[in-house]
Amino acid sequence: MRFLTVLTALVLIGLAGSATARDPVMLGDWGKLTLPDDYEPGKPFDVTVEVLKLDAPSKLTITANWKKTGGQFGGFLQLLGASKDISGPGTHTFTVKIDKTKPEMGSAVITAYLSPDGEWKTQTANGSADIKTKAKAGVAPEDIGTISVKTKKAPLLVLKDAPKLPSLKEAGLTEEPAFVDEFEPNWPKKDAWQVATWKQNGTQMSPDRCRVDAQGHLVQTVLAGKPFSGGSVQSTKEFGYGRWVARLKPTSTPGVLNSMFTKNWDDMTTPAKDDGDGGEIDIELLSHTYEPGKGEVHLAIHLKGHPAVFQVDVPLDFNPSDDFHEWGFDVLPDRVVWHVDGRIVHEWKYTKELSITPGYEMFFNSWTMEKWIKGPPKEQGDYRIDWVKFYPVAKDVAKPQE
């Protein structure tokens, strides 16, 4: 992931044959650009840069980054395959497309730069410009690529009165798990998990903050204050339909988010990277909602082109940080069902256009931010994961990991 420093230039983007181009924008004294009002994900569009002067032969390269809905820089989005050797002034047009998105993405950021070899680290000039996703009929442009639905508030979940989760047999699942990790002393299981060393949502992750303790718990730690520091782990393999259950105890320290989620981040059947369809299922436990005898859980579905197609805050009649609870979700061919301690919390049914597909990775992470999570915490917060299990649907039995 590359973080950009704006020097002088901006890039241009245009939807080929259909977009309305803006007036040319000057790039300092070395060039100018023309870009459209918006773009449509997955559809090709033109990027044109007119170079007015060039001190030495260079590569002109264009990449895509992204910003969050609040305007904060989110990071690298995708390569656009747009690079060209140039030796002097001239106009250069690239046809590219943006087909990736991010949760809470507010806009794409198109960056153009000059360098002798096409590498960012050797760039001699650069610049970036935001561009919104093209609006669909009946949808305001500012709503595209941000949040598809507002967060709903569910009624209080009284655990003992909530509907019982169907048994494994009743749900059509195997009665033996296809994947289990009890986080024993030889962890990490390098064939099963990748421990993050990069930033996630502005929080720097480290193996030092994602470790197994003497009690056999995976402990993910968020440190006090700034810079934001946390821990994260993701599976090295992909999974299909089935039931996930994990015994979790989130931190009670205010200002921390502890999560259990899936993400179709990468299609592991292809050599390309980060080319999954983006489907995501979230259980997010925000410690600032905890009070004596009560708390909340945030549930969400994110899909490509629909960063928050479903999200709900569920009030609970217990404090999730007081003890371990068995949290999970059933990822089924027609719906997602969230549950805790064998009781149904909520469900989301698929439509013809919107669904979760097999081929996702499993994640646990711990992080912080100022607005939504109300961080950073004033003291260290530890998230404990006792075990995790996956039971596939009976007709789609996965081979157990060794």
Side-chain angles (χ1 to χ4, degrees), residues 309-323:
V309 69
F310 170 84
Q311 49 186 11
V312 62
D313 290 331
V314 182
L316 306 169
D317 71 343
F318 62 94
N319 182 329
S321 68
D322 283 347
D323 202 351

Side-chain angles (χ1 to χ4, degrees), residues 122-275:
T122 59
Q123 54 82 25
T124 57
N126 76 83
S128 60
D130 298 3
I131 187 164
K132 294 289 186 180
T133 308
K134 185 178 182 180
K136 298 180 181 179
V139 182
E142 62 269 20
D143 294 333
I144 300 294
T146 56
I147 295 179
S148 303
V149 295
K150 292 183 179 180
T151 301
K152 297 179 180 179
K153 192 82 166 186
L156 173 69
L157 179 80
V158 179
L159 191 58
K160 68 180 180 63
D161 296 334
K164 288 185 177 181
L165 184 68
S167 68
L168 293 167
K169 185 176 182 179
E170 291 170 337
L173 306 171
T174 62
E175 297 193 56
E176 291 296 324
F179 175 79
V180 178
D181 198 337
E182 296 181 344
F183 304 109
E184 297 170 345
N186 62 345
W187 197 89
K189 296 181 178 179
K190 297 186 182 299
D191 64 329
W193 299 105
Q194 183 178 8
V195 183
T197 58
W198 48 88
K199 281 189 176 181
Q200 293 180 6
N201 302 309
T203 297
Q204 180 63 54
M205 303 300 175
S206 170
D208 293 338
R209 296 183 292 278
C210 189
R211 67 201 184 281
V212 166
D213 65 11
Q215 288 72 45
H217 301 146
L218 174 62
V219 181
Q220 294 183 344
T221 298
V222 173
L223 299 180
K226 296 182 178 180
F228 301 157
S229 303
S232 177
V233 65
Q234 70 186 68
S235 69
T236 60
K237 296 185 179 182
E238 297 176 325
F239 296 87
Y241 296 126
R243 174 174 296 174
W244 285 96
V245 185
R247 189 167 184 262
L248 311 176
K249 184 180 180 183
T251 182
S252 61
T253 302
V256 174
L257 185 150
N258 296 143
S259 74
M260 169 184 180
F261 69 102
T262 70
K263 177 81 172 183
N264 192 335
W265 185 265
D266 186 27
D267 182 351
M268 295 183 182
T269 65
T270 72
K273 297 296 183 183
D274 303 342
D275 60 341

Side-chain angles (χ1 to χ4, degrees), residues 56-73:
S58 301
K59 279 186 178 290
L60 173 63
T61 303
I62 298 169
T63 60
N65 301 281
W66 66 287
K67 281 187 177 180
K68 299 180 181 180
T69 55
Q72 307 96 323
F73 182 72

Side-chain angles (χ1 to χ4, degrees), residues 9 33 77 83 90 105 144 161 197 287 317 328 368 370:
L33 62 86
L77 184 61
S83 186
M105 178 171 156
I144 300 294
D161 296 334
T197 58
S287 57
D317 71 343
T368 187
E370 292 173 340

Side-chain angles (χ1 to χ4, degrees), residues 54-108:
L54 190 67
D55 296 332
S58 301
K59 279 186 178 290
L60 173 63
T61 303
I62 298 169
T63 60
N65 301 281
W66 66 287
K67 281 187 177 180
K68 299 180 181 180
T69 55
Q72 307 96 323
F73 182 72
F76 175 71
L77 184 61
Q78 72 175 83
L79 296 172
L80 297 176
S83 186
K84 185 177 182 180
D85 291 307
I86 60 175
S87 57
T91 300
H92 308 280
T93 299
F94 305 87
T95 300
V96 302
K97 65 178 179 179
I98 297 175
D99 52 18
K100 291 187 180 298
T101 187
K102 297 284 185 179
E104 300 184 11
M105 178 171 156
S107 62

